[in-house]
Each structure stands twice: as C-alpha cells, then as structure tokens.
Amino acid sequence: MVAVMSAPKRAPSGDAERPDGAVPQTDIRTGLTAAEAADRLAHYGPNALNEKSVSTIERLARYFWGPIPWMIEAAAVLSAALSNWADFAIIVTMLLVNAGVDFWQESKAGSAIDALKQRLALTARVLRDARWQTLPARDLVPGDVVRLRIGNVTPADMTLAEGDYLSADESALTGESLPVEKKLGETAYSGSVIKQGEMTGIVSATGMKTYFGKTAELVQSADNRSHFQRAVLNIGNFLILTTIALVALIILVSLFRQAPFWQTLQFCLILTVAAIPVALPTVLSVTMAVGAEKLAAMKAIVSRLVSIEELAGVDVLCADKTGTLTKNELTLADVRPEAGVSPDEVLLAARLASNADDPDAIDKAVLAAPVGKARQSDYTVGSFTPFDPVSKRTQAAATLDGQTVLFSKGAPQVILDLAKPDDTDRRRIEADVVGLAAQGFRALGVARQDSGEGPGGKDVWRFLGLIPIFDPPRDDAAATIATAERMGLSVKMITGDHEAIARQIAGRLGLGANVVSADRVFDGGSDGDVAAKIERADGVARVLPEHKFKIVQALQARNHIVAMTGDGVNDAPALKQADAGIAVSGATDAARAAADVVLTGQGLAVVASAIEEARRIFERMTSYATFRIAETIRVLMFMTLSILIFDFYPVTAIMIVLLAVLNDFPIMMIAYDNAEVAEKPVRWEMPRVLTIAACLGLMGVVETFLLFWYVDTVMHLPRGVIQTIIFLKLLVAGHLTIYVTRNKRWFWNRPWPSARLFLTCEATQILGTLIAVYGLFVTPIGWTYAAGVWIYALAWLPVESLLALAVRRLLDHAANHQTKPAEQTERHVSAH
C-alpha cells in the first residue's frame, strides 16, 4: 500500500501549511531515503522552535546597562571630572572585570544548561530507508513516516495513516482536559501526549510551521524560582535597602559637616556598589549549573535547575519497583498450561500477542522464549492492539490457512474476564496467581479466541494458561536502600503488583514486610489518615496511576518533601506533583517531560547519588549566602560608623573598588568547592543563616575597630597609612571568613577547601598585600605593617570559627528543644 500525503484538513484552530505549497509524497512501507531526508532538512530547516539568539556584543552590552553599572559609570565620570585619574582607571577596570566575570559565569551556566537540554532532547521512531530507526526529533522532515505509541510526545504535526486507535492529550495546546480520540486522516499535533493506542503517521509540518510552533508563546512555562532562590533574593533586597539607607545617612552627615559634595557622592556611589550583592543571582545559577553537570555525569539529568534544592530536601522517596528496585530484566519460569493445552501452545499464543517491531519489557521476555518459534512463522499477524493501563492486555489478529484467530495476553484477572471460565476454574486459577505471587512471580494470563466454537457457533475466548514472570532485585538495591535510610530518607516501594509479590521483593531488599494494598490505604478516612498509613508502611501495592498522585499529595500535606519515581505516561501527574519527580531510565517521553530529574542509568543507586550531590550543592549555596551577608554587614557597618562617629573615611574610594574586584574571584570558585553531605535532608533556614552571618559580620566590625584604635591612638600612624592597613585587613580577613562559613565545624576540619577555591583566595590576598606594601594606587605600608595585619587577621580566624561553632550549637539546641515537645505530642496522639 502506498500512502500519498496530502495537505491535512483544516482544523477549527488552524492546521500547518507547507512553506512552498508543495505536497511531499511518501511510501509508507519504506519511508524517505536518507538523501531525501537530508534535502528536505536543508529546505525546511530543523524541527525545532525558533529561539531568540543574542549576539555576543549585545550580551556584553547588557552588563554596562542597568542600575548597578550606572552607579559604577557615574562614579567613573565623577572621578574624571575631579581629575582623580587613578580612581578613574581602577573604577573602569572594576566595571570591565565585573562585566567579564558575569559574562564568563553566564556563558558557563548557559553551556551547561544547553548540554543538559541536548541530553533530554526528544527522539522519534522513524521509517527511513525501509528500516525503523530512533532519531532525534529535531531531524524530522515533512514526509517522514513516524510511529506513535503510548507515552510518546508527538514530535511534529502528522497525518495519521495506519493503525486502529489513538488517544492524545492535547491539553497543553487547547486547554481541553479530556484526551481526544484520533482517526485515520486526522492530524496528531506536535506536543500532544499519546495516552492510549498506537498509530503510524506521516509528518505534515515541522518546527514553527506546526500548530504548537504557531502558539508557542501561549504554552511556555513560567520561570519558577525555588524557595531557596526567593529567600536569597529577598536577602539581597534587604541588603540593598539597608545600604541605600546608610549611604543616605552618610551623605546627610557629610553635607552637615560641609564636606566636599562631589567627592562624598563619588565615595557613596562606590560604597553602594561594593556593598550590594550584585553577583548573587549569577553565583547561584553557576553553582547549580556546575552541580547539574556533575549530576549528569552520575547519569541524573536535571531538567529544572531549581529542582536541585528540592532534591536536597527530600525525606520520603517513593520508588517504583520495576526498573528501579528490580533489574527490569524479565525472565520466564515454567509455563502453567490449562488441561488439554501444551506449554508450547501457551507460549505461541503469547508470542503472537506481542509487538515484535517495538517490544516492551514483557514482550521482549516472551519473544526471547525459544519454544514454539518455528510454528509462529506459519501465522500472518494482522492488526495489533498494544497494552495500555486501562485495558491491561494486548491483542493480535493472526491468520493461518485462511482462518483468522485472536490472541491476547495481560493481567490474569482481565484475561479471566475475557474467557469467562466457570467459578471453580476461576477460583483455582486465581489461587494459582496468588501462590505464584507469594514466590515472587508475576503471572501473565494468555487466551485465544476460536471462531464458531461456542454455543450456537459463536466466537469464544479460551483461557490457555499462566506464564510466570520474575524480575529479580537489583544487585545494589539492598545496599542503596540502607544508604538512603542512613541519609534520613524513608523509602517506600510503590508497585502495581500484588502485595504478595511486593512483600517478597521488599523482604529481599531489607525494606520490611509491612506492604499494604492501595485499596486499604485509600479506603475512607481523611488525608491525614492516608498519609499516616503510608508513613507506617514499607510499601504500597496494587497502585493505580491516580493513586501515585494521591500518595504524593497526602505526604506533602504532612510537610514531607517527596520524590517520586516513574516511567509511564500515567505517572506524569504524580511526577509533576512531586517535589522531585524522577523519570527512571527508559521512561516514556511524557514521563520525562513531567519530571524534574531524568535518570539515564538503571537503579536506585543513581537516585541516592543524585540526592547526595544535591546536598553538596545546597551547602555551597548556603556557604555563599552566609559569607556575602557577613561581608556586607562587616564593610558597610564599619564604614558608616567610622564616618559618623570619628568623621574619618577609613578607606578611600579606590580601595573600595579594589576590594570589590579582588572579592569577585574567590566568589567565582565557591561553585567548585568541596562540601560535606548533610546526614539528614536539608531545608533552607533563613533565620539561621541571617543569625550566623550577622554574628560574624558584627565580630568583623569589632576586630576592625580595635585595629583602627590601636594604629591611630597607640601608634599614631599617618591617616594614609591607616587607610591602607584597614584596606589590607578587610581584604585578608574577608577572604579568611570564607573558610569559616564553608565549614560547620572548626575551619581546619574536613572537607578542606578545593584547590580552586584555596589557590584563588590566597592569590587575591597576596595580590592585595603587594598593592598595600608597594603602594599601587594607595599609600605604601611596607612589609612590617603588612605582616602585622596578616598576623592580626589570622589570630582572629579561630575566634571567628569558635563564634560560628557556638552560634550553630545554640541554634541546634533551640531547634531540638522545640522539636522534642512536638514529637512527644505526636507519639501520644499515635498511641491513642
């Protein structure tokens, strides 16, 4: 049969049109040749939505336009107007360095995100050169023959040309919540999710010519910020407002004292720029992007960077049994045929009811069985109905010697409903299924419909027997579950299998034997009762797709951060609802699109490794936030108090610029720092971070005032020398604070700083020391005073570490004191 693709009928919402009005023709038996596809790809372009590209020059220009660059530029103009050319040169250098650092960091993050997008790119099953191939969806061209099956995201607009049934979810395009049934000749739209059925179509439009492409702006997802990002950006806003208020106060006092207005304004502009955490969003993005690259190397691809925070806080992991806890390598045990039926007949029927072209895991196991293979070639298979979660069975029509026979395999209860054996036989078969389940076997029912063998010559289905299937636990699953539980995760096995099978597998994995059926979990009771049952259980069996969604919701209502694994199209709602939806290896396109994390490696070990790395990333971000707040408080409060109380500018404008530039480089390296893995799930605790940062910042103010008092009152040094000493102290002590904020214990304990962070910190400290010693843009102080500053700053380092340790312990004690009464109350309620 040759199918000639014609222009699709115009839907009410509008169909895509060919760019040149031509109507490509395709032989549906062979598809396009590679040469034809290459020509059409050159003509029509890739099957992708146009993305607005920004030139390098335009990107660079953005770093010189905005409130912060304007302040730096204004300070540079004022320096030139006042003929402070040294200041002018350093300020311009600061502007260029800030722009260069941000550009490099953004490029780094962008490259990482682009690489992850490539890893998550859709693929399609395409007929090219008379051979079915899996190709990137962006390589599709009009005229390509593509097979759609359950779980696929339709990769392009296509006219359906072969097949019996297809149901597609077009809610992302039309807002229609119910799936739409598709018939031959109708258009399956790009971006729709195949919910049921299987059909073959011919691509009619690609890229921006698709209906999805024309309405792309209507379906773009919003840019959601995580709790962590919102919290840290709120800190940034708070610091900005505080800075502006203090700077305004400095200007008013200076005017009252009749200080030179323009010099004061220049100083205040530069102080504002140095105090405001300009790099905060960039550092966060880069830290997450670098972490995402590491996760990708661990075979866990993050589709949303902000989901890293959620992954770090996961305390309940709902793990799919098949493919996550087990090997997903199905093997067949001894067939259980009915009386008068041979094992070969059962296997032959099961093989004929399998999809040989694109088999799933069960089909592969059945087709791998050698028995009956020779006889299978005698049959000509016609129509095939694939498995779907509603019917729970497959069906094929096969012809032998002119007679067509139907074969079906699937869930035993469904096949029994089809064959309708008498009550005695049904009870016996059902008991057999339960017995197999107790041994860890999942049973497949197999049936055949013979023409005219029923009463009155009716067609009748005949139950042929059971095929036991076993999916053994993964070799590393038990050890990984033990590791996850040590990390503070509660692992719940979620499976659609019978609870006897689930209990047997759970026992092997060390999960415990408390496996309950979904019916019992959701049998009446409030959401709190449902969540309590799930919390007590080690696993939930006989789970339907809608149950997964409800399990996630119930646990979230109890303030749990939930990760859910899944692979099917019907898992998508639960994956999207979960705080961290994880699509396992081999998941459908729909599941991958809904998930936050997509696994490319098998098993639960990948999930545990991903959670471990996410916690490291979280620690880096917390370390940076604490350091940045402490430094802002330290510099801003000291400057303000010095000017207001002593009528003395402790550092010059050019020194502030140098501090800001030299601080940029260590901050860049925080994303690559070594970080410890928290023993328990982590959550963003803003009051804790603010308290630790404020204590360190205020101690820094005390340290600096003591030094200022000593060199001014005791040593009577010239003011220019004092300013350089204060500059060097702020630089050296500020960089040392990074070592305190990055470690929850003493600063010398493991994990030690990464080589990148340590070398960058020390290099900038040495550079600042050379500037102070030899007087580059500042008053020189020589090596003696410089060594004294270093000794002073290092002497305070263990004191700062002790303060941070003490504050952390006080906060931990307070948190534990608040938690214990709540736990006692909960235990008292549970006991009753």
Side-chain angles (χ1 to χ4, degrees):
M1 181 182 80
V2 177
V4 178
M5 191 190 78
S6 59
K9 295 178 181 178
R10 183 167 296 278
S13 54
D15 272 355
E17 297 176 352
R18 295 269 52 77
D20 55 4
V23 182
Q25 295 184 350
T26 304
D27 187 335
I28 201 168
R29 296 170 302 183
T30 61
L32 299 176
T33 65
E36 287 174 329
D39 289 342
R40 294 186 186 189
L41 186 62
H43 179 72
Y44 294 113
N47 178 37
L49 299 182
N50 291 341
E51 294 186 8
K52 184 182 178 183
S53 58
V54 180
S55 67
T56 303
I57 293 176
E58 187 178 348
R59 283 178 58 202
L60 279 170
R62 289 177 180 175
Y63 298 109
F64 300 96
W65 188 261
I68 300 300
W70 290 341
M71 282 192 281
I72 300 175
E73 288 155 8
V77 170
L78 282 173
S79 299
L82 296 170
S83 299
N84 295 333
W85 297 112
D87 288 10
F88 174 80
I90 292 296
I91 292 169
V92 170
T93 301
M94 176 191 182
L95 185 64
L96 294 174
V97 168
N98 274 350
V101 168
D102 284 352
F103 179 78
W104 181 82
Q105 294 273 51
E106 188 183 83
S107 298
K108 180 75 177 174
S111 298
I113 293 166
D114 289 342
L116 295 178
K117 285 181 178 178
Q118 290 297 321
R119 297 282 295 276
L120 290 173
L122 289 179
T123 58
R125 195 74 174 153
V126 187
L127 185 63
R128 292 260 181 97
D129 295 316
R131 183 169 59 88
W132 286 102
Q133 307 172 46
T134 300
L135 299 176
R138 66 177 288 112
D139 292 344
L140 291 182
V141 295
D144 261 326
V145 178
V146 177
R147 176 170 291 155
L148 297 176
R149 62 181 300 181
I150 183 171
N152 289 161
V153 174
T154 308
D157 284 0
M158 58 184 65
T159 303
L160 299 174
E162 262 191 2
D164 297 323
Y165 176 73
L166 197 73
S167 174
D169 178 2
E170 297 179 347
S171 57
L173 305 174
T174 65
E176 174 60 51
S177 58
L178 296 176
V180 179
E181 291 188 14
K182 296 289 183 178
K183 299 180 178 64
L184 291 176
E186 293 186 343
T187 299
Y189 293 107
S190 173
S192 60
V193 177
I194 307 305
K195 303 292 283 186
Q196 293 180 33
E198 182 174 317
M199 291 184 82
T200 300
I202 302 175
V203 174
S204 58
T206 58
M208 294 304 292
K209 290 294 180 180
T210 63
Y211 177 57
F212 182 88
K214 291 182 176 180
T215 58
E217 66 275 6
L218 301 178
V219 295
Q220 293 298 318
S221 58
D223 178 21
N224 295 321
R225 290 195 176 107
S226 71
H227 303 303
F228 179 86
Q229 285 178 308
R230 286 197 296 268
V232 175
L233 291 175
N234 285 338
I235 289 178
N237 293 335
F238 167 76
L239 292 177
I240 289 170
L241 293 174
T242 304
T243 301
I244 292 172
L246 292 176
V247 165
L249 182 61
I250 291 172
I251 291 174
L252 288 174
V253 171
S254 298
L255 289 174
F256 178 77
R257 291 172 176 170
Q258 297 182 340
F261 174 75
W262 293 111
Q263 290 182 349
T264 302
L265 181 61
Q266 178 203 30
F267 180 87
C268 288
L269 281 172
I270 295 171
L271 179 61
T272 302
V273 170
I276 290 174
V278 183
L280 191 143
T282 305
V283 171
L284 286 180
S285 297
V286 173
T287 302
M288 288 191 287
V290 170
E293 283 185 300
K294 290 185 178 179
L295 289 175
M298 296 177 182
K299 299 184 178 180
I301 303 174
V302 179
S303 60
R304 290 191 316 122
L305 287 182
V306 294
S307 64
I308 289 173
E309 179 217 345
E310 309 292 358
L311 202 59
V314 165
D315 62 331
V316 177
L317 172 59
C318 297
D320 232 9
K321 178 181 75 68
T322 304
T324 305
L325 300 176
T326 62
K327 293 182 177 180
N328 199 19
E329 296 174 0
L330 301 178
T331 55
L332 272 57
D334 293 335
V335 177
R336 307 264 181 120
E338 288 293 282
V341 181
S342 70
D344 281 5
E345 287 181 87
V346 179
L347 280 172
L348 174 63
R351 290 176 63 87
L352 290 168
S354 300
N355 187 347
D357 289 332
D358 197 6
D360 58 20
I362 292 177
D363 287 348
K364 286 178 182 176
V366 171
L367 292 168
V371 183
K373 190 171 183 179
R375 289 182 54 202
Q376 184 182 359
S377 61
D378 297 337
Y379 285 85
T380 302
V381 179
S383 63
F384 176 78
T385 304
F387 177 90
D388 69 66
V390 177
S391 68
K392 293 186 180 295
R393 68 185 182 95
T394 64
Q395 181 174 303
T399 303
L400 177 65
D401 298 331
Q403 183 181 6
T404 299
V405 183
L406 298 181
F407 298 93
S408 184
K409 76 175 192 309
Q413 67 271 22
V414 173
I415 302 299
L416 287 171
D417 290 341
L418 193 67
K420 296 181 174 61
D422 61 46
D423 290 345
T424 303
D425 285 341
R426 181 167 187 133
R427 283 195 295 271
R428 172 181 55 78
I429 294 167
E430 288 175 341
D432 217 5
V433 171
V434 173
L436 288 169
Q439 301 172 49
F441 291 103
R442 179 181 175 184
L444 278 181
V446 183
R448 164 182 176 144
Q449 187 192 65
D450 293 307
S451 302
E453 292 191 2
K458 291 182 180 179
D459 295 343
V460 62
W461 282 95
R462 183 159 60 101
F463 190 83
L464 299 180
L466 296 171
I467 299 179
I469 295 179
F470 180 59
D471 183 12
R474 293 185 59 82
D475 298 332
D476 61 349
T480 305
I481 287 171
T483 301
E485 289 177 342
R486 284 197 299 272
M487 293 168 64
L489 271 70
S490 176
V491 182
K492 312 290 183 186
M493 183 171 70
I494 308 295
T495 178
D497 287 339
H498 192 279
E499 51 263 45
I501 297 176
R503 200 170 288 121
Q504 199 265 356
I505 296 292
R508 291 191 180 197
L509 298 174
L511 269 176
N514 185 17
V515 177
V516 296
S517 70
D519 291 339
R520 284 182 54 195
V521 169
F522 295 100
D523 183 18
S526 64
D527 289 343
D529 293 334
V530 170
K533 290 176 184 176
I534 298 169
E535 286 173 336
R536 290 193 294 268
D538 300 309
V540 185
R542 300 199 203 187
V543 171
L544 298 175
E546 58 268 24
H547 289 150
K548 282 191 174 185
F549 183 81
K550 292 177 181 177
I551 287 171
V552 173
Q553 279 190 319
L555 289 171
Q556 287 173 330
R558 296 268 285 196
N559 200 32
H560 291 290
I561 296 182
V562 185
M564 172 67 79
T565 71
D567 61 355
V569 61
N570 286 289
D571 293 333
L575 294 177
K576 200 158 188 68
Q577 175 66 26
D579 298 289
I582 302 170
V584 298
S585 177
T588 60
D589 293 338
R592 285 157 45 114
D596 302 303
V597 180
V598 178
L599 304 185
T600 57
Q602 297 282 350
L604 193 64
V606 183
V607 180
S609 298
I611 290 173
E612 185 177 299
E613 185 59 32
R615 290 185 186 178
R616 284 197 185 93
I617 295 164
F618 190 91
E619 289 300 327
R620 292 186 190 110
M621 293 193 292
T622 306
S623 168
Y624 167 70
T626 308
F627 165 73
R628 196 62 188 84
I629 297 165
E631 276 307 284
T632 298
I633 292 172
R634 186 194 309 249
V635 173
L636 195 60
M637 291 298 295
F638 175 70
M639 298 281 188
T640 305
L641 292 174
S642 297
I643 294 168
L644 296 181
I645 298 172
F646 298 102
D647 191 18
F648 171 62
Y649 285 80
V651 291
T652 63
I654 202 168
M655 290 176 182
I656 295 175
V657 175
L658 287 170
L659 278 174
V661 172
L662 292 172
N663 274 336
D664 272 346
F665 294 99
I667 285 172
M668 286 164 48
M669 295 300 114
I670 288 177
Y672 303 93
D673 189 24
N674 298 323
E676 66 179 1
V677 179
E679 294 179 357
K680 301 294 180 185
V682 290
R683 299 196 185 191
W684 181 240
E685 300 177 66
M686 181 67 70
R688 182 186 182 90
V689 171
L690 282 172
T691 303
I692 296 170
C695 289
L696 288 173
L698 292 174
M699 172 167 273
V701 173
V702 172
E703 295 169 25
T704 314
F705 266 121
L706 283 174
L707 180 62
F708 171 65
W709 168 81
Y710 185 79
V711 296
D712 182 51
T713 306
V714 177
M715 298 182 69
H716 304 290
L717 295 179
R719 285 300 171 97
V721 174
I722 291 175
Q723 287 175 324
T724 305
I725 287 174
I726 297 298
F727 157 75
L728 185 58
K729 190 272 172 188
L730 290 174
L731 175 69
V732 174
H735 282 27
L736 292 177
T737 303
I738 293 178
Y739 300 140
V740 175
T741 61
R742 63 171 298 279
N743 203 320
K744 291 182 179 179
R745 295 181 292 277
W746 290 101
F747 69 90
W748 58 75
N749 288 139
R750 290 176 181 268
W752 294 324
S754 67
R756 288 189 187 189
L757 178 64
F758 179 76
L759 292 175
T760 306
C761 276
E762 298 315 306
T764 49
Q765 285 177 319
I766 291 169
L767 180 59
T769 303
L770 293 174
I771 290 172
V773 168
Y774 294 108
L776 184 63
F777 304 115
V778 299
T779 302
I781 60 173
W783 282 107
T784 302
Y785 289 155
V789 171
W790 270 88
I791 293 169
Y792 184 78
L794 288 170
W796 277 99
L797 179 58
V799 180
E800 286 188 12
S801 189
L802 176 64
L803 174 66
L805 195 62
V807 172
R808 287 189 177 101
R809 286 181 178 173
L810 284 172
L811 292 171
D812 289 340
H813 178 74
N816 291 334
H817 185 71
Q818 289 177 352
T819 302
K820 283 179 180 178
E823 289 177 348
Q824 290 169 357
T825 302
E826 187 173 336
R827 283 197 295 270
H828 179 77
V829 172
S830 299
H832 287 75

